[in-house]
Amino acid sequence: MFSLTNIELFSVGLANSAIVILGFIVFFNERKSATNKAFLIFSLVAALWNTANYASTQITNEILELWVLRSVIFFAVWYCFFLYTLFYVFPDHKAHFSNGYKYIVFPAALFASFVTLSPFAFKSIKEFAPVGEVPVTENGPGMVIFGITVILLIIAASRMLLKKMRAASSDRKIQYRYILVGTMVTFSLYIVFNFILPVLFDKVGFIRLGAVFTLPIIVLTTYAIMKYGLLRIKIISTELLSFALVMTSFVEVLLSENLEQRIFRSFITILLLAIAIYLNRSVKKEVEQREVLSKLTVELQQKTQILEDLSSINNHQQRTPLTVIKGGIDMLEHSKLTKAQRQEIIDQMKNRVERMLHTLTEFSVGFSPKFKSVNVVPKKDNLEEAVRMIYDEHFELEKARQRRDPKYKKLEFVYEAPKEPLPPVWYDRNNVLHILSNLMDNAVSYSDTGTIRVSYGVDKDFAIVKIQDNGMGVTPEEKKIIFDKAKRSERAKKRYAFGSGLGLFLAKQIADESKGSLDVESKGVGKGSTFVLKLPLYKGQDTKGNDEVNKTL
Amino acid sequence: MAKRKKRILIVEDEPFLVEMYKARFEQENYKVDVAFDGTGVIDAIQKNKPDIVLLDIVMPEKDGFAVLRELKTRKDLHMTPILVFSNLAQDEEIKKGLDLGADKYFIKSEYTPSQLVSEVEKMIGSAK
């Protein structure tokens, strides 16, 4: 017959096995992680404490009972200590223990645990209890040390968890919440069944169920630690389960009574082993595929977000010049204007049409997933003219702004013409105008004071254009992404929320495609930036390697 | 006593657009003040007490949303009608502007200066 004691033994055994298995699952998932190690030790100590707890209610030998009771509070100290350690380490991969931990907390726990084993805690057993109940003991002053240590450790552990939870980023907070809920449920159960009921109502029958009460903290902490690798649990559980099956079957082989049985059972064991290997491999494959899938999903979400942002920015960038053109037509039609005013409106409208074409190219590039490179058609051309044109355009625009608004930032402009006329350059003017315009736009947009300086140089076979500002500068980290497609630094976003992150990307593509280069130099935050554009000098590129040679001769 | 001229504050960072709207509103006998950025807007409203504010959203330094947020906290100023006049045309952006307390939200590219004048007149009456 199945008695109550058996059901209890069963549930305690089951809960304890679950605790140990979860401890190992977490550990094996990432053996080098300090958090996982701390969790394994914590779950093992919890299981030992639960076992001692249960045993203390089952033993009938007086001496043994005294020592089992002592071991209960001994493990209780370490249980609390490793709870503290777990929260101390979580969620880090590597543990850094402070001096306070090494020289105060650990020695204190060590001392308290020695006290629990000495007669200073449990002196003797006053009244022996029947099986299933807790005996009455004669307690010494050591119990106070035990009580204080345990309470302090639990308070310190909770404070540690709350402190880390508050400092955690929002996606990490969920992890802490699971652990917090688990801890609260487990300790509420302890307080109710191991403290309030026994002390206030004299009901001690639940103490031996401690293992069941420990489950919430273990299960929820397992979930929190494995949150980013939950699928891995499937692999490890399959491994553990199949290992257990094969081992059981193997033990049966050893216990066989005759040769026939042994041969039959060996056959079964080998079959089980084969199935286990197959099962493990297929589970592993499935999990790996699912991991790839979830990674792709995240990537897709990020890409969609970028496209959505781009589409909003694109919409805005197209509407802005349209507003000027539409407004300009309205003004030309309905307002009394001087000749000069009419001319200005027409000039502005022309300028906006060009800009629209510009942004259209930029965004068609940005939106196209198949984009490989821009179409650059170089020819022998004067570079200085193009630079001068873009420089003048920006200079005039800024000066006009400064005149209109006395509070507007007062940037200076310096144009350093080359000392000797620049030799002809092999480049595609339309495309390079895009680079120059973008660089000048940026110099103005990301500077509050100082000078925008344009200068030239020649380096071997390359013409160099430098655009220098005294603006917000570029950090080494920002340098890594500054030319990436649709990527912008946090500082850039903060300063101007509606940039597309396409301008410099496209500029770099054009420079590379022109067999030149585009780079940025900066001494850091607030120290200004210098963009350096290199383009190849004309060295008869159009005459090399084709029939053109004959024509030029 | 001469009637006080209707006064409008245009907040817009694009100089040519400012010039165009200013010219158009002045033709209709409005007194026009201009802010090129969000930073001076609160001061300008306090000082000039405009009958209406034309507020762009995308501006360097401080954008129109930030201006709306600040205006919300200013009990003394929140009676001034605010017409958001922006090229941000996505539904969420329009909703955001209205939620932050704008009275109207117009998409800039859909209005000529003349249409804008007549919309403003609908809101605060003619200046003539």
Side-chain angles (χ1 to χ4, degrees), chain A residues 312 319 323 330 344 352 404, chain B residues 14-15 19 87 93 109 114:
Chain A
S312 159
R319 281 175 188 273
T323 314
D330 180 70
E344 198 201 340
R352 297 319 142 111
R404 286 186 185 109
Chain B
E14 163 71 61
E19 214 166 90
N87 271 325
E93 292 153 349
S109 60
S114 309

Side-chain angles (χ1 to χ4, degrees), chain B residues 104-116:
Chain B
K104 285 253 163 80
Y105 192 116
F106 287 171
I107 297 161
K108 225 190 273 179
S109 60
E110 287 173 9
Y111 291 84
T112 63
S114 309
Q115 286 166 328
L116 180 63

Side-chain angles (χ1 to χ4, degrees), chain A residues 139-152:
Chain A
N139 300 343
M143 286 309 276
V144 180
I145 295 177
F146 164 72
I148 291 175
T149 311
V150 163
I151 289 170
L152 285 181

Side-chain angles (χ1 to χ4, degrees), chain A residues 264-550:
Chain A
F264 177 69
R265 285 182 179 173
S266 299
F267 175 72
I268 296 288
T269 307
I270 291 165
L271 194 69
L272 269 176
L273 191 66
I275 293 173
I277 291 170
Y278 171 76
L279 193 70
N280 278 321
R281 286 179 65 173
S282 64
V283 167
K284 200 167 174 191
K285 205 169 162 191
E286 188 208 319
V287 165
E288 275 164 3
Q289 277 170 349
R290 278 220 251 163
E291 276 175 347
V292 169
L293 202 65
S294 65
K295 208 174 130 206
L296 284 177
T297 313
V298 171
E299 263 172 40
L300 194 66
Q301 279 166 345
Q302 283 168 346
K303 289 237 164 94
T304 316
Q305 186 57 46
I306 291 175
L307 274 184
E308 267 173 28
D309 291 349
L310 274 180
S311 118
S312 159
I313 294 162
N314 177 33
N315 196 309
H316 182 264
Q317 307 293 66
Q318 303 285 0
R319 281 175 188 273
T320 303
L322 267 179
T323 314
V324 171
I325 296 161
K326 191 165 172 174
I329 294 170
D330 180 70
M331 294 297 279
L332 291 174
E333 266 182 352
H334 301 295
S335 296
K336 293 176 216 103
L337 303 164
T338 63
K339 210 178 166 201
Q341 280 174 323
R342 294 183 79 85
Q343 193 51 51
E344 198 201 340
I345 291 175
I346 291 168
D347 287 347
Q348 290 282 355
M349 286 164 65
K350 274 189 196 160
N351 173 302
R352 297 319 142 111
V353 171
E354 288 310 313
R355 277 204 166 229
M356 276 199 82
L357 290 171
H358 229 63
T359 29
L360 259 177
T361 326
E362 202 173 291
F363 279 96
S364 62
V365 166
F367 277 118
S368 159
K370 283 185 200 140
F371 171 77
K372 284 208 180 66
S373 60
V374 277
N375 187 24
V376 170
V377 186
K379 60 175 195 183
K380 178 184 172 188
D381 202 347
N382 181 322
L383 178 63
E384 219 189 316
E385 266 175 30
V387 176
R388 183 80 217 200
M389 189 176 107
I390 298 292
Y391 172 85
D392 284 345
E393 201 178 273
H394 283 80
F395 174 79
E396 300 294 341
L397 191 69
E398 278 303 291
K399 287 296 156 189
R401 282 184 170 158
Q402 289 175 10
R403 273 197 304 278
R404 286 186 185 109
D405 182 4
K407 277 181 278 176
Y408 188 78
K409 62 186 177 188
K410 290 177 182 55
L411 294 175
E412 298 291 327
F413 285 77
V414 173
Y415 180 85
E416 285 177 14
K419 289 182 189 84
E420 287 165 29
L422 218 55
V425 176
W426 180 248
Y427 81 106
D428 177 338
R429 185 181 285 216
N430 273 335
N431 272 316
V432 168
L433 283 178
H434 178 95
I435 305 182
L436 294 167
S437 171
N438 192 282
L439 296 180
M440 283 300 284
D441 271 348
N442 285 347
V444 170
S445 301
Y446 297 108
S447 304
D448 288 321
T449 52
T451 307
I452 314 271
R453 184 183 300 270
V454 174
S455 58
Y456 295 89
V458 173
D459 174 29
K460 287 175 199 151
D461 294 339
F462 292 93
I464 301 170
V465 182
K466 284 189 182 179
I467 297 180
Q468 187 182 6
D469 65 55
N470 303 115
M472 63 190 273
V474 184
T475 67
E477 282 73 40
E478 289 165 350
K479 254 182 219 174
K480 287 180 201 152
I481 61 155
I482 196 166
F483 296 111
D484 285 1
K485 184 170 168 182
K487 275 193 190 160
R488 301 181 70 220
S489 76
E490 288 308 313
R491 288 198 307 140
K493 281 185 202 159
K494 208 173 162 195
R495 189 172 171 102
Y496 182 60
F498 294 89
S500 64
L502 292 175
L504 283 177
F505 163 72
L506 201 59
K508 173 102 178 156
Q509 297 287 324
I510 297 168
D512 290 347
E513 212 47 38
S514 308
K515 305 249 182 334
S517 66
L518 177 62
D519 291 293
V520 63
E521 296 164 0
S522 174
K523 293 204 169 86
V525 175
K527 300 215 169 122
S529 319
T530 305
F531 282 85
V532 182
L533 172 66
K534 284 190 185 178
L535 291 169
L537 291 173
Y538 175 71
K539 299 276 175 196
Q541 284 92 333
D542 47 357
T543 59
K544 279 178 198 157
N546 55 33
D547 300 337
E548 302 282 300
V549 178
N550 297 328

